[in-house]
Each structure stands twice: as structure tokens, then as C-alpha cells.
Amino acid sequence: MSNTTPTHAPGAIRKKVTAPGVRARKGREPLTMLTAYDFPGGKLADQAGVDVILVGDSVANVVLGYETTNQVALDDMIHHTAAVARARPRALLVADMPWMTFHVSPQETLRNAARLVREGGAEAVKLEGGKSRVEMIRKLVTAEIPVMGHIGLTPQSVHAAGGYKVQGRRLEDARRMIDDALALEEAGVFALVLEGVPAPLAQAITRRLSIPTIGIGAGPDTDGQVLVMHDMLGLNFGHYPKFVRRYADLSREAVAAIDQWIRDVHRGGFPSEEESYHMIDAAALELIEEPAGTDRAIGH
Ligand code: KIV
């Protein structure tokens, strides 16, 4: 396949995406990664032709209604990952390791990641953080679990950082982030998410690494882009960061559709003849007809 052939071309024979395949896309056709949290989400993302489906811990905010991603548990992530896995996506299926599942020890990190793979069907895991995660990442890579890194604005750090803030705007912070990126590459991650990073810094990191970077709020010069599905489809009932482009307003369409159904029910227009089941044996109706004089009409 040439570098410019879109992998999502209708009718194209599309090969299963793997972690080494994503790794090999460095400097080639830009990668697309989208979140999904359930079976229909997985089907939609895959039918559209994304390269990577991320079962992000953003499920906490956009699906489960929690305030922060730190409130989602490993069992929740396994549950949602398994639902997406049942869509049998062509896309690589990556599951986020939730907060505190990769902090205590390399052994515990491995046990938790293995549950995402064995019980959830994940084909790779993603975890947030820089140099301090190197030991954990090495443990997973040695056990042949592909790992995606995630630095910059890491939502699990919300309390330590004092909010959700763009990272790396000052020289010292930018240097530290470049060091983190290099350390993660050295530890063996196959791709690196850069979130909430000034565009020139994301470009500089992308140029220095031999693995692909996937940006979100990190400008156009990364090797790929990732968005939260509910943000891009207009299904998020919370905050929309400035980097989100809404490609649809499905909340509005959904409310309008439900409203129309309510009106149809109220005016007796739903269900129609075609939407109702009929008796095969019309004579059987006599058996269930009400005796004359009884008044048991629906609504009485
Ligand atoms: O949880 C998530 O959705 C993420 C993406 C924003 C990269 O980590």
C-alpha cells in the first residue's frame, strides 16, 4: 500500500491494525484514534475506518457522569473494553489503565494490565505519566503487552496539577516533557499521546522520536490525532475543550427524535398498522372478544 492510500477507502481490503503496525506508521499516513466505550461505539468507529479505538478512562466523564477520571475502577474499564471488543474491530483496541492501577509496583501493574487483555480483550494498554512510569512500562513490555504512553495534560493528575492546564509552555517544563518523551520511547512504548501541549513543543517532540505521536490539543504536527467520540459527535453534556471540533450535533438530533416519538404517541399515531403484529387465525379473535356490556377499554 502506498503512503497516501487512505486505509478507510470504501471497499478497500483492510488489514487488522496491530501495535507494530501503528509503530510503523511513523512519518507516513496520519494515524486516527477515537474513543469508544461500548459495542455500538466500537462498530461506528470501526465502520468509519479509524486506526485505533481507545477505551479511554474518559468513560468516567462522558458516559458514567463522574467528575474526574480518577473515579473509574479497573472493573469498569474491563467491562467497557469487553463491550467494544465484542464489535471485533479491525482497529487496534487500546484500553486505558485507570488511576492507581499502575502506581504501586511493576507486579501489580502487570496483573492489572493482564486483566484488561485477558478479560477485556484489549490488544494494548495506555498509561499516563513520564519518567516515573518507566519501570512499570518495562515490566509490561517484557511481558509482551504493548504500551501506549500519554504525557502533557494528564487528566489523572488533576489534583496534583491544580486543574486541567496546558503543559510545557515554559522552557523548563518543555525540556522536562522532551526528557519524558525520550524516556518513554526508550522504555518501549509503541506510540505516545501528547495532550494539551503547545503546538511547537508537540512538533519538536514528534521530530525527536522514532515512534508516532498522537495529539489531542497538541496542534497539527503530530503523527496522528485522537478525539473523544462524544465530543466530536456533540454527545458530551459537560465541558468542551477548545481543541474539539464538533462534526455532528447528535444530542440535538436525539432529543428531536425522542420528542417526535412522544408527539406521535400522544396523537395516537404510533404504532401504525405496519408496526403492529397481527393474528394468523382471525377466528381466534372471537375467543378473546370481551362479552357485550363490559367496559375494559385501555385507559379506563
Ligand atoms: O481517556 C481518554 O479519552 C484519553 C484521550 C483523551 C487520549 O486518554
mmCIF file of all heavy atoms in Angstrom, residues 118-148:
data_model
loop_
_atom_site.group_PDB
_atom_site.id
_atom_site.type_symbol
_atom_site.label_atom_id
_atom_site.label_comp_id
_atom_site.label_asym_id
_atom_site.label_seq_id
_atom_site.Cartn_x
_atom_site.Cartn_y
_atom_site.Cartn_z
ATOM 1 N N ARG A 118 -6.822 -10.054 29.102
ATOM 2 C CA ARG A 118 -7.495 -11.366 29.153
ATOM 3 C C ARG A 118 -9.017 -11.225 29.273
ATOM 4 O O ARG A 118 -9.779 -11.843 28.554
ATOM 5 C CB ARG A 118 -6.955 -12.174 30.332
ATOM 6 C CG ARG A 118 -7.626 -13.536 30.455
ATOM 7 C CD ARG A 118 -7.061 -14.373 31.568
ATOM 8 N NE ARG A 118 -5.735 -14.851 31.245
ATOM 9 C CZ ARG A 118 -4.740 -14.966 32.124
ATOM 10 N NH1 ARG A 118 -4.931 -14.621 33.378
ATOM 11 N NH2 ARG A 118 -3.565 -15.426 31.762
ATOM 12 N N GLU A 119 -9.473 -10.374 30.210
ATOM 13 C CA GLU A 119 -10.924 -10.267 30.447
ATOM 14 C C GLU A 119 -11.584 -9.241 29.534
ATOM 15 O O GLU A 119 -12.748 -9.369 29.177
ATOM 16 C CB GLU A 119 -11.187 -9.900 31.909
ATOM 17 C CG GLU A 119 -10.696 -10.932 32.895
ATOM 18 C CD GLU A 119 -10.758 -10.427 34.336
ATOM 19 O OE1 GLU A 119 -11.770 -9.819 34.722
ATOM 20 O OE2 GLU A 119 -9.764 -10.624 35.069
ATOM 21 N N GLY A 120 -10.821 -8.189 29.181
ATOM 22 C CA GLY A 120 -11.404 -7.117 28.370
ATOM 23 C C GLY A 120 -11.175 -7.286 26.882
ATOM 24 O O GLY A 120 -11.879 -6.688 26.076
ATOM 25 N N GLY A 121 -10.163 -8.050 26.522
ATOM 26 C CA GLY A 121 -9.867 -8.207 25.087
ATOM 27 C C GLY A 121 -9.018 -7.082 24.522
ATOM 28 O O GLY A 121 -8.925 -6.931 23.299
ATOM 29 N N ALA A 122 -8.396 -6.287 25.394
ATOM 30 C CA ALA A 122 -7.523 -5.203 24.906
ATOM 31 C C ALA A 122 -6.312 -5.791 24.192
ATOM 32 O O ALA A 122 -5.814 -6.858 24.562
ATOM 33 C CB ALA A 122 -7.065 -4.331 26.076
ATOM 34 N N GLU A 123 -5.841 -5.078 23.182
ATOM 35 C CA GLU A 123 -4.657 -5.512 22.431
ATOM 36 C C GLU A 123 -3.433 -4.675 22.804
ATOM 37 O O GLU A 123 -2.318 -4.946 22.340
ATOM 38 C CB GLU A 123 -4.952 -5.400 20.930
ATOM 39 C CG GLU A 123 -6.055 -6.359 20.513
ATOM 40 C CD GLU A 123 -6.754 -5.984 19.226
ATOM 41 O OE1 GLU A 123 -6.670 -4.816 18.797
ATOM 42 O OE2 GLU A 123 -7.412 -6.859 18.656
ATOM 43 N N ALA A 124 -3.663 -3.654 23.591
ATOM 44 C CA ALA A 124 -2.591 -2.796 24.110
ATOM 45 C C ALA A 124 -3.193 -1.992 25.257
ATOM 46 O O ALA A 124 -4.420 -1.905 25.373
ATOM 47 C CB ALA A 124 -2.078 -1.852 23.023
ATOM 48 N N VAL A 125 -2.341 -1.432 26.101
ATOM 49 C CA VAL A 125 -2.845 -0.569 27.177
ATOM 50 C C VAL A 125 -2.180 0.799 27.046
ATOM 51 O O VAL A 125 -1.109 0.931 26.456
ATOM 52 C CB VAL A 125 -2.580 -1.157 28.583
ATOM 53 C CG1 VAL A 125 -3.293 -2.485 28.758
ATOM 54 C CG2 VAL A 125 -1.078 -1.305 28.870
ATOM 55 N N LYS A 126 -2.855 1.800 27.600
ATOM 56 C CA LYS A 126 -2.283 3.149 27.653
ATOM 57 C C LYS A 126 -2.177 3.560 29.112
ATOM 58 O O LYS A 126 -3.076 3.256 29.905
ATOM 59 C CB LYS A 126 -3.158 4.141 26.896
ATOM 60 C CG LYS A 126 -2.674 5.599 27.004
ATOM 61 C CD LYS A 126 -3.369 6.508 26.021
ATOM 62 C CE LYS A 126 -4.696 7.036 26.472
ATOM 63 N NZ LYS A 126 -4.702 7.776 27.747
ATOM 64 N N LEU A 127 -1.094 4.234 29.453
ATOM 65 C CA LEU A 127 -0.995 4.759 30.815
ATOM 66 C C LEU A 127 -0.360 6.141 30.805
ATOM 67 O O LEU A 127 0.436 6.477 29.943
ATOM 68 C CB LEU A 127 -0.280 3.781 31.750
ATOM 69 C CG LEU A 127 1.133 3.304 31.412
ATOM 70 C CD1 LEU A 127 2.171 4.273 31.919
ATOM 71 C CD2 LEU A 127 1.345 1.934 32.062
ATOM 72 N N GLU A 128 -0.805 6.946 31.774
ATOM 73 C CA GLU A 128 -0.387 8.342 31.845
ATOM 74 C C GLU A 128 0.893 8.502 32.657
ATOM 75 O O GLU A 128 1.083 7.806 33.656
ATOM 76 C CB GLU A 128 -1.491 9.187 32.515
ATOM 77 C CG GLU A 128 -2.780 9.244 31.710
ATOM 78 C CD GLU A 128 -3.833 10.134 32.373
ATOM 79 O OE1 GLU A 128 -3.542 10.788 33.407
ATOM 80 O OE2 GLU A 128 -4.965 10.177 31.851
ATOM 81 N N GLY A 129 1.728 9.451 32.227
ATOM 82 C CA GLY A 129 2.891 9.829 33.033
ATOM 83 C C GLY A 129 4.203 9.680 32.288
ATOM 84 O O GLY A 129 4.276 8.976 31.273
ATOM 85 N N GLY A 130 5.235 10.335 32.844
ATOM 86 C CA GLY A 130 6.545 10.371 32.203
ATOM 87 C C GLY A 130 7.544 9.410 32.817
ATOM 88 O O GLY A 130 7.233 8.234 33.043
ATOM 89 N N LYS A 131 8.721 9.956 33.123
ATOM 90 C CA LYS A 131 9.837 9.118 33.605
ATOM 91 C C LYS A 131 9.475 8.196 34.751
ATOM 92 O O LYS A 131 9.967 7.072 34.852
ATOM 93 C CB LYS A 131 10.959 10.044 34.084
ATOM 94 C CG LYS A 131 11.862 10.522 32.977
ATOM 95 C CD LYS A 131 12.947 11.361 33.587
ATOM 96 C CE LYS A 131 13.907 11.811 32.510
ATOM 97 N NZ LYS A 131 14.767 12.898 32.941
ATOM 98 N N SER A 132 8.593 8.695 35.638
ATOM 99 C CA SER A 132 8.278 7.911 36.837
ATOM 100 C C SER A 132 7.574 6.600 36.494
ATOM 101 O O SER A 132 7.423 5.732 37.358
ATOM 102 C CB SER A 132 7.408 8.733 37.785
ATOM 103 O OG SER A 132 6.240 9.119 37.112
ATOM 104 N N ARG A 133 7.113 6.459 35.253
ATOM 105 C CA ARG A 133 6.395 5.230 34.876
ATOM 106 C C ARG A 133 7.286 4.210 34.157
ATOM 107 O O ARG A 133 6.807 3.139 33.760
ATOM 108 C CB ARG A 133 5.228 5.561 33.938
ATOM 109 C CG ARG A 133 4.322 6.644 34.407
ATOM 110 C CD ARG A 133 3.564 6.263 35.663
ATOM 111 N NE ARG A 133 2.663 7.338 36.027
ATOM 112 C CZ ARG A 133 2.539 7.818 37.248
ATOM 113 N NH1 ARG A 133 3.235 7.309 38.247
ATOM 114 N NH2 ARG A 133 1.715 8.798 37.498
ATOM 115 N N VAL A 134 8.544 4.570 33.963
ATOM 116 C CA VAL A 134 9.410 3.742 33.122
ATOM 117 C C VAL A 134 9.498 2.295 33.618
ATOM 118 O O VAL A 134 9.394 1.344 32.833
ATOM 119 C CB VAL A 134 10.810 4.393 33.001
ATOM 120 C CG1 VAL A 134 11.860 3.382 32.570
ATOM 121 C CG2 VAL A 134 10.748 5.544 32.002
ATOM 122 N N GLU A 135 9.656 2.135 34.922
ATOM 123 C CA GLU A 135 9.800 0.777 35.488
ATOM 124 C C GLU A 135 8.563 -0.079 35.187
ATOM 125 O O GLU A 135 8.664 -1.260 34.842
ATOM 126 C CB GLU A 135 9.984 0.909 37.008
ATOM 127 C CG GLU A 135 10.650 -0.269 37.649
ATOM 128 C CD GLU A 135 10.600 -0.165 39.171
ATOM 129 O OE1 GLU A 135 10.269 0.933 39.697
ATOM 130 O OE2 GLU A 135 10.852 -1.181 39.823
ATOM 131 N N MET A 136 7.384 0.568 35.318
ATOM 132 C CA MET A 136 6.125 -0.169 35.079
ATOM 133 C C MET A 136 6.001 -0.534 33.603
ATOM 134 O O MET A 136 5.596 -1.660 33.255
ATOM 135 C CB MET A 136 4.915 0.687 35.474
ATOM 136 C CG MET A 136 5.068 1.432 36.774
ATOM 137 S SD MET A 136 5.294 0.339 38.186
ATOM 138 C CE MET A 136 5.272 1.538 39.533
ATOM 139 N N ILE A 137 6.372 0.417 32.752
ATOM 140 C CA ILE A 137 6.250 0.173 31.306
ATOM 141 C C ILE A 137 7.181 -0.969 30.889
ATOM 142 O O ILE A 137 6.793 -1.860 30.128
ATOM 143 C CB ILE A 137 6.545 1.475 30.513
ATOM 144 C CG1 ILE A 137 5.435 2.488 30.768
ATOM 145 C CG2 ILE A 137 6.689 1.197 29.020
ATOM 146 C CD1 ILE A 137 5.712 3.876 30.257
ATOM 147 N N ARG A 138 8.399 -0.959 31.411
ATOM 148 C CA ARG A 138 9.349 -2.037 31.066
ATOM 149 C C ARG A 138 8.777 -3.399 31.435
ATOM 150 O O ARG A 138 8.916 -4.371 30.702
ATOM 151 C CB ARG A 138 10.666 -1.828 31.810
ATOM 152 C CG ARG A 138 11.566 -0.796 31.186
ATOM 153 C CD ARG A 138 12.971 -0.927 31.781
ATOM 154 N NE ARG A 138 13.704 0.318 31.723
ATOM 155 C CZ ARG A 138 14.207 0.849 30.616
ATOM 156 N NH1 ARG A 138 14.048 0.235 29.463
ATOM 157 N NH2 ARG A 138 14.857 1.992 30.646
ATOM 158 N N LYS A 139 8.142 -3.451 32.604
ATOM 159 C CA LYS A 139 7.558 -4.721 33.059
ATOM 160 C C LYS A 139 6.510 -5.217 32.060
ATOM 161 O O LYS A 139 6.482 -6.412 31.709
ATOM 162 C CB LYS A 139 6.916 -4.512 34.443
ATOM 163 C CG LYS A 139 6.414 -5.772 35.087
ATOM 164 C CD LYS A 139 7.551 -6.566 35.674
ATOM 165 C CE LYS A 139 7.064 -7.819 36.370
ATOM 166 N NZ LYS A 139 8.198 -8.693 36.733
ATOM 167 N N LEU A 140 5.656 -4.309 31.595
ATOM 168 C CA LEU A 140 4.600 -4.702 30.653
ATOM 169 C C LEU A 140 5.187 -5.102 29.308
ATOM 170 O O LEU A 140 4.785 -6.110 28.704
ATOM 171 C CB LEU A 140 3.608 -3.542 30.452
ATOM 172 C CG LEU A 140 2.864 -3.054 31.700
ATOM 173 C CD1 LEU A 140 1.859 -1.979 31.322
ATOM 174 C CD2 LEU A 140 2.163 -4.203 32.399
ATOM 175 N N VAL A 141 6.148 -4.306 28.829
ATOM 176 C CA VAL A 141 6.738 -4.585 27.513
ATOM 177 C C VAL A 141 7.464 -5.925 27.542
ATOM 178 O O VAL A 141 7.379 -6.718 26.599
ATOM 179 C CB VAL A 141 7.666 -3.422 27.086
ATOM 180 C CG1 VAL A 141 8.438 -3.773 25.823
ATOM 181 C CG2 VAL A 141 6.852 -2.150 26.868
ATOM 182 N N THR A 142 8.144 -6.215 28.661
ATOM 183 C CA THR A 142 8.837 -7.501 28.794
ATOM 184 C C THR A 142 7.839 -8.657 28.764
ATOM 185 O O THR A 142 8.135 -9.737 28.252
ATOM 186 C CB THR A 142 9.637 -7.534 30.122
ATOM 187 O OG1 THR A 142 10.485 -6.397 30.131
ATOM 188 C CG2 THR A 142 10.479 -8.789 30.251
ATOM 189 N N ALA A 143 6.643 -8.396 29.296
ATOM 190 C CA ALA A 143 5.599 -9.438 29.287
ATOM 191 C C ALA A 143 4.816 -9.436 27.978
ATOM 192 O O ALA A 143 3.795 -10.118 27.866
ATOM 193 C CB ALA A 143 4.653 -9.224 30.464
ATOM 194 N N GLU A 144 5.286 -8.659 27.002
ATOM 195 C CA GLU A 144 4.691 -8.589 25.659
ATOM 196 C C GLU A 144 3.292 -8.003 25.648
ATOM 197 O O GLU A 144 2.426 -8.422 24.871
ATOM 198 C CB GLU A 144 4.743 -9.959 24.982
ATOM 199 C CG GLU A 144 6.181 -10.426 24.834
ATOM 200 C CD GLU A 144 6.316 -11.775 24.179
ATOM 201 O OE1 GLU A 144 5.493 -12.658 24.453
ATOM 202 O OE2 GLU A 144 7.264 -11.935 23.400
ATOM 203 N N ILE A 145 3.064 -7.035 26.528
ATOM 204 C CA ILE A 145 1.835 -6.238 26.446
ATOM 205 C C ILE A 145 2.239 -4.888 25.851
ATOM 206 O O ILE A 145 3.004 -4.139 26.470
ATOM 207 C CB ILE A 145 1.185 -6.041 27.834
ATOM 208 C CG1 ILE A 145 0.747 -7.398 28.397
ATOM 209 C CG2 ILE A 145 0.002 -5.082 27.731
ATOM 210 C CD1 ILE A 145 0.135 -7.328 29.780
ATOM 211 N N PRO A 146 1.756 -4.574 24.634
ATOM 212 C CA PRO A 146 2.127 -3.293 24.035
ATOM 213 C C PRO A 146 1.580 -2.119 24.853
ATOM 214 O O PRO A 146 0.442 -2.163 25.342
ATOM 215 C CB PRO A 146 1.478 -3.340 22.644
ATOM 216 C CG PRO A 146 1.204 -4.786 22.380
ATOM 217 C CD PRO A 146 0.937 -5.398 23.729
ATOM 218 N N VAL A 147 2.405 -1.098 25.007
ATOM 219 C CA VAL A 147 2.039 0.053 25.847
ATOM 220 C C VAL A 147 2.089 1.339 25.036
ATOM 221 O O VAL A 147 3.058 1.605 24.322
ATOM 222 C CB VAL A 147 2.998 0.196 27.049
ATOM 223 C CG1 VAL A 147 2.572 1.365 27.950
ATOM 224 C CG2 VAL A 147 3.064 -1.094 27.852
ATOM 225 N N MET A 148 1.026 2.138 25.175
ATOM 226 C CA MET A 148 0.986 3.486 24.614
ATOM 227 C C MET A 148 1.208 4.459 25.768
ATOM 228 O O MET A 148 0.591 4.302 26.830
ATOM 229 C CB MET A 148 -0.396 3.707 23.969
ATOM 230 C CG MET A 148 -0.595 5.069 23.325
ATOM 231 S SD MET A 148 -2.251 5.215 22.568
ATOM 232 C CE MET A 148 -2.003 4.347 21.035
#
